[in-house]
Amino acid sequence: MCSLEQFKIDLKGLTEDVTDLAYTLDDSFFAALDDAEIQGGSLHVSGSIRKTVGFFELLLNISGTVRIPCDRCLDDMLQPIETQLRLVVKLVAADQMGQGSATPTDDDIVTIDESDGVLDLSWFIYESVALAVPIQHVHQPGDCNDAMMRVLTEHSAARSSDADATKQAETDPRWSKLAALREKM
């Protein structure tokens, strides 16, 4: 089991202007987050956090592959991922914050209770990876499970032949008469 503690950054403890970050994500990371869509993967995360007056700027590059189910045959497939994460983090007093210890106030701005001062990157990294997965994910042509593709083809052919028969039965008889008139011309 992956310990998500390594993804927690004590912002108040940062002493340098720029701090380099590097993580390796594997199957245990995704198992610790317990997501049904992304079943595992191998990703490298690298970047930095820059400390300035009043806020922290986080820039991460994420690359590698994740294991997800194919939409067509339901077998696992490897999906390449290449994405970036940029966050601006502000420390604010507890009475100025909403609910929770890390509250997103804008698309790229996160506020953290200054008495806590800890930013947990695990969910932000996961969301960036999940958003980088294409909406439709299928194997390359010819790589899908052959048995599942045969079953899918059989059911698709049966459904389309049923639809054709229903369509012919529902044809308005007036069109048939017009077609007969057309043939006489």
Side-chain angles (χ1 to χ4, degrees), residues 8-178:
K8 292 183 179 181
I9 299 174
D10 182 8
L11 298 174
K12 295 189 318 185
L14 295 178
T15 56
E16 301 175 17
D17 290 341
V18 177
T19 303
D20 292 328
L21 303 171
Y23 304 105
T24 300
L25 309 181
D26 57 11
D27 293 348
S28 61
F29 173 78
F30 296 101
L33 292 175
D34 197 29
D35 179 60
E37 184 69 21
I38 299 176
Q39 299 166 348
S42 175
L43 296 162
H44 179 70
V45 180
S46 63
S48 63
I49 188 164
R50 184 171 57 100
K51 180 179 179 180
T52 61
V53 176
F55 66 92
F56 299 86
E57 183 180 24
L58 176 77
L59 298 169
L60 295 177
N61 295 311
I62 305 168
S63 62
T65 58
V66 292
R67 192 174 66 252
I68 54 178
C70 173
D71 288 341
R72 191 175 296 139
C73 71
L74 302 178
D75 277 358
D76 284 349
M77 63 173 278
L78 294 178
Q79 176 68 50
I81 298 292
E82 186 76 35
T83 189
Q84 294 182 338
L85 170 62
R86 179 185 178 273
L87 288 176
V88 174
V89 181
K90 290 185 178 182
L91 295 177
V92 297
D95 58 343
Q96 296 175 346
M97 286 189 59
Q99 298 293 324
S101 62
T103 307
T105 57
D106 196 356
D107 287 341
D108 294 333
I109 299 175
V110 176
T111 58
I112 305 244
D113 183 357
E114 67 184 350
S115 64
D116 184 23
V118 175
L119 172 65
D120 185 356
L121 286 178
S122 59
W123 193 251
F124 292 109
I125 292 171
Y126 170 76
E127 284 181 337
S128 292
V129 170
L131 289 172
V133 173
I135 291 173
Q136 181 181 20
H137 30 88
V138 295
H139 283 108
Q140 294 295 321
D143 288 346
C144 278
N145 180 325
D146 291 334
M148 182 63 89
M149 292 310 296
R150 281 191 298 275
V151 170
L152 183 62
T153 303
E154 288 172 12
H155 287 290
S156 296
R159 201 173 332 135
S160 66
S161 65
D162 290 344
D164 291 343
T166 305
K167 186 177 178 182
Q168 289 173 355
E170 293 176 358
T171 303
D172 190 340
R174 293 176 288 183
W175 291 112
S176 303
K177 291 179 182 178
L178 284 173

